[in-house]
Amino acid sequence: MNQSQVSASVLSRCDVERLIAEENALIVIMDQMVLRLDGWLKYHPGGSKPIQHMVGRDATDEITSLHSPKTCRQMKRYQIGRVQGYWENLIPPIQGCVYPIASESVNTSSKPKVTIPCARGAANTTFRPPDSPTSRHTEGTRFLDFLTREEINLDLTEYPLVDKSTQMEITCKYRLLHEEIRRSGLYQCNYTAYAWEAMRCALLVSLTWLFMNLEVYWISAAFLGLFWSQLVFIAHDAGHMGITHNFTIDTLIAMIIAAPIGGLSMGWWKRSHNVHHIVTNSPEHDPDNQHLPLFAVNHRFLGNLFSTYHERWMRFGRIAKFWIPYQAKMYYLVLAFGRFNLYAQSWLFLIRGQGPRKGAAWWHRLFEIFGVIIFCLWYGYGLVYKSIPGNWNRITFVMVSHMVNMPLHVQFTLSHFAMSAMDLGQDESFAQKMLRTTMDIDCPEWLDFFHGGLQFQAVHHLFPRIPRHNLRSTQKFVQQFCRETGIPYALYGFVDGNKKVLGCLSAVSRQAAILAECQRTVAADQQSSVS
């Protein structure tokens, strides 16, 4: 069958469901085209899970926001047909749907089945959770379900209706906004701004070297940490192809910054960050808010949840029960050690070989392993061990150079921790979901270098490939879009944003205390009834 015949072939909803059910096909809808992405799964530089979360869905906005026009055109090679009219999204298998056709040939009597709401018109589906280490139906289930309903009702009150017509209108306006921003030239990188970035980084390196020679090691370490922070902003831009818009060149820039200079893996970042952009703030799916036992950013973490990213149960166990009551007070202290967690995640990713080993990114793992070795040599051996006398000075240097990155890790969490983590269903548009789960931080323009563009996270989530030096200009377009659609635009000052996050963490701590009291009361009642 030639391409014209494929393009003319109309697939029904039942056809798509059958392919997903019988052949485990990764079917994604883009611009009315039905794409089968099984063959691309092992080659995708951003990992397999972003694709899996789009199965059965119209992913037009997600794909076009995260990929260049060239990549979107290349996706046509995977087209197997087209759909007509409005596509009502299915729930992807990775998020719990099991289609009846697929389950008929498998004996699943040993697995519990729970009916879940599916998109209107979809086949009847069931959800089979993996075997839980403990029963999910605990004494606190009703309490947690009550909190979930309360948060969903609050979102439904504050945001536009999640019905087909309303969300279609928002999607149409978002796509018009996308074209307007493109015509305005905001996708074009401001290379003069990057010249200033280069000079700033050169100054920080010079100050690191100067105070190292003056033997004022803690000041030298502070400037090295600030240098790393500034490089993270550049790596973030490059990771989203926001500098040259060329996949190979931007990826090289990002990996050089991350591995030999910073000791981190850009491949790991892409694998987790792309999922974050697709299922932002979802407790079960978004790795960026799965921080048990150190943080529970939503009440749903107080019950056992299965992480589809880590493919394991997140238990609210003894450590979490002890720690979570103090999470708001320990927030900044924990984030001061955030870079050490990035090392661990990066090195585990490289050791396990979790990135693509075929296609355009086959060599990335080898490059990053070599880069991390270089980092260990220049930083660990050459700088810390050979250039700094005395173990106390060495420990001080390591800790200061890493802990000075704490404001950067606060910035990472600030835009999402206090925002909604609820799922409003398959009809919600990409644009509304991004604005509902993300906040922007207001700051004077002269402080943009300190925040590195991460203060415009809501704008960035709508248009991830826009270079960060253009995000302030893009913000004006987004604010107008929010006024026209009635979507609240969350904008807080840096201090108020911190207060909101701490308030959210404190609220979850109180909910954990109430849940524990409920469980103790029920247990005591059961014991007394038995006796």
Side-chain angles (χ1 to χ4, degrees), residues 159-373:
Y159 288 84
L161 295 175
V162 188
D163 63 89
K164 182 170 67 175
S165 59
T166 302
Q167 295 302 311
M168 281 182 64
E169 182 180 357
I170 290 173
T171 295
C172 289
K173 289 183 178 179
Y174 167 73
R175 293 175 183 176
L176 291 173
L177 172 64
H178 197 179
E179 288 305 313
E180 183 179 6
I181 287 172
R182 191 187 301 278
R183 289 194 302 269
S184 300
L186 292 173
Y187 273 96
Q188 303 305 312
C189 184
N190 181 355
Y191 292 110
T192 301
Y194 273 101
W196 285 105
E197 299 291 344
M199 287 189 285
R200 186 180 298 116
C201 290
L203 174 62
L204 291 171
V205 169
S206 299
L207 291 171
T208 300
W209 176 84
L210 173 64
F211 283 97
M212 175 67 69
N213 282 276
L214 292 175
E215 299 184 355
V216 187
Y217 299 117
W218 70 273
I219 296 181
S220 175
F223 282 118
L224 177 59
L226 293 174
F227 169 67
W228 281 336
S229 293
Q230 291 297 311
L231 285 184
V232 165
F233 302 142
I234 301 174
H236 182 260
D237 286 353
H240 280 292
M241 292 189 297
I243 299 179
T244 69
H245 306 299
N246 179 283
F247 171 76
T248 301
I249 296 175
D250 277 358
T251 300
L252 267 174
I253 293 172
M255 289 195 301
I256 290 171
I257 290 173
I261 300 179
L264 305 175
S265 166
M266 201 65 196
W268 162 77
W269 177 85
K270 281 191 174 185
R271 182 175 186 262
S272 66
H273 195 68
N274 286 343
V275 175
H276 165 68
H277 270 269
I278 295 294
V279 285
T280 308
N281 256 24
S282 170
E284 296 91 347
H285 311 304
D286 184 0
D288 279 16
N289 68 356
Q290 296 177 351
H291 302 294
L292 282 178
L294 297 178
F295 295 123
V297 299
N298 184 267
H299 68 270
R300 294 176 66 185
F301 289 101
L302 304 182
N304 294 327
L305 283 184
F306 185 79
S307 167
T308 59
Y309 179 81
H310 296 291
E311 298 180 356
R312 61 176 174 81
W313 284 91
M314 296 179 293
R315 295 190 60 184
F316 190 66
R318 291 183 179 180
I319 297 177
K321 289 177 180 178
F322 169 79
W323 186 266
I324 295 306
Y326 309 102
Q327 62 177 353
K329 297 178 181 178
M330 304 301 290
Y331 173 65
Y332 297 108
L333 178 62
V334 171
L335 293 184
F337 293 90
R339 191 173 180 89
F340 294 105
N341 176 59
L342 300 185
Y343 287 142
Q345 298 295 332
S346 296
W347 298 348
L348 285 172
F349 169 84
L350 294 174
I351 291 170
R352 293 171 178 172
Q354 293 176 321
R357 299 192 181 187
K358 297 180 180 180
W362 71 267
W363 55 277
H364 291 182
R365 178 173 179 249
L366 298 176
F367 182 93
E368 291 195 310
I369 290 174
F370 181 68
V372 168
I373 292 173

Side-chain angles (χ1 to χ4, degrees), residues 44 46-55 270-271 274-275 278:
H44 186 219
S48 62
K49 293 189 185 297
I51 297 176
Q52 291 173 307
H53 279 291
M54 289 293 100
V55 171
K270 281 191 174 185
R271 182 175 186 262
N274 286 343
V275 175
I278 295 294

